[in-house]
Amino acid sequence: MAEVIDGKKVAGDVLGKVKALTADLGAKGITPGLAVVIVGEDPASQVYVASKSRTAKECGFHSVQHTLPAETGQDELLKLIAELNADPAIHGILVQLPLPPQIDAGTVIQAIAPEKDVDGFHFINVGKLGTGELATAFVPCTPAGSMLLIERVRGKDLSGLNAVVIGRSNIVGKPMANLLLAANCTVTVAHSRTRDLPALARTADILVAAVGRPEMVRGDWVKPGATVIDVGINRIPAPEKGEGKTRLVGDVAYAEAERAAGAITPVPGGVGPMTIAMLMANTVTSAFLATGLERPSF
Ligand code: GUN
């Protein structure tokens, strides 16, 4: 039976540290400020954004949410970002993705000041992560949180370990691969065109699944003793709970995988809570840097 990696507990530890650091800044008359921008009415995005704004308030941040109508033009959104870039009370700017089709997400992301890019999506931050400049980069929240969970099991130095990341997105797969590489793993990034994925997955001491396909990773893909990090959050029908009911599952078939794994993240309660916690960590970090203070570590 695998160790179950408790993401809620680790996220709670991170948020506790964020609150303590926010109190330190408060003593200097500074409040970390986070602006969350959402365009349109996508229900899942609204839930995520509400949760980000609420957690920011719980951390003692100045939390502002800009909710723009679905038909908002790109120029209008760019104008808002320019205002937030210039606002000294705002240390972090997050534009929730996806954006409506009339807006080019790439243009919007690159308009965010890199020092306020708490999502870590700006080319400057992507480049810093890619070149190992972790001391000054903002790292995307989900891979940063996944890395903290891996560290809890394996420590900070992953020398000699094979890591396989399934998924090559800019938000999770690619930054995750770079973080594992920076921690001295031997890293392979797999994706939908990869040949014999089960055999490749079985080489992994650390297996990260970030594809968005419910329970794709089966138990016999998992090397005995591996650390399995399940980034997927998929809602599937659950007729056993009653008509029309659903449940959340990851990208890993948990019941099968936990028999082989050494440690595994559950869904929900694994990587999910870490994403918001790391957004708060990035925002308080930005406030420290803007104040000329040494960067805190998490
Ligand atoms: N949509 C899904 N995940 C994310 C994320 O990490 N950041 C933003 N801005 N939008 C998202």
Side-chain angles (χ1 to χ4, degrees), residues 23 42 65 98 110 135 138-139 145 174 196 203 214 239 248 255 262 266 269:
D42 177 56
Q65 186 177 321
Q110 302 315 320
F138 283 117
V139 176
K174 286 179 202 161
D196 200 353
T203 67
L248 288 180

Side-chain angles (χ1 to χ4, degrees), residues 142-212:
T142 299
S146 300
M147 216 43 214
L148 280 194
L149 297 180
I150 293 167
E151 282 175 17
R152 289 282 173 123
V153 180
R154 298 276 189 171
K156 275 188 191 288
D157 185 359
L158 307 178
S159 294
L161 299 178
N162 290 333
V164 172
V165 179
I166 310 177
R168 56 173 156 179
S169 72
N170 292 330
I171 294 182
V172 182
K174 286 179 202 161
M176 189 75 233
N178 272 324
L179 282 171
L180 289 161
L181 198 53
N184 301 321
C185 273
T186 302
V187 183
T188 309
V189 181
H191 47 77
S192 55
R193 306 292 176 90
T194 297
R195 202 177 302 156
D196 200 353
L197 185 52
L200 178 65
R202 275 192 291 274
T203 67
D205 302 300
I206 297 171
L207 181 62
V208 181
V211 274

Side-chain angles (χ1 to χ4, degrees), residues 37 45 48 52 94-98 119 121 140-142 171-172 275:
V37 182
S45 289
Y48 289 135
K52 288 169 185 175
L94 180 141
V95 179
Q96 186 67 24
L97 303 176
D119 253 332
F121 294 165
C141 302
T142 299
I171 294 182
V172 182
T275 297

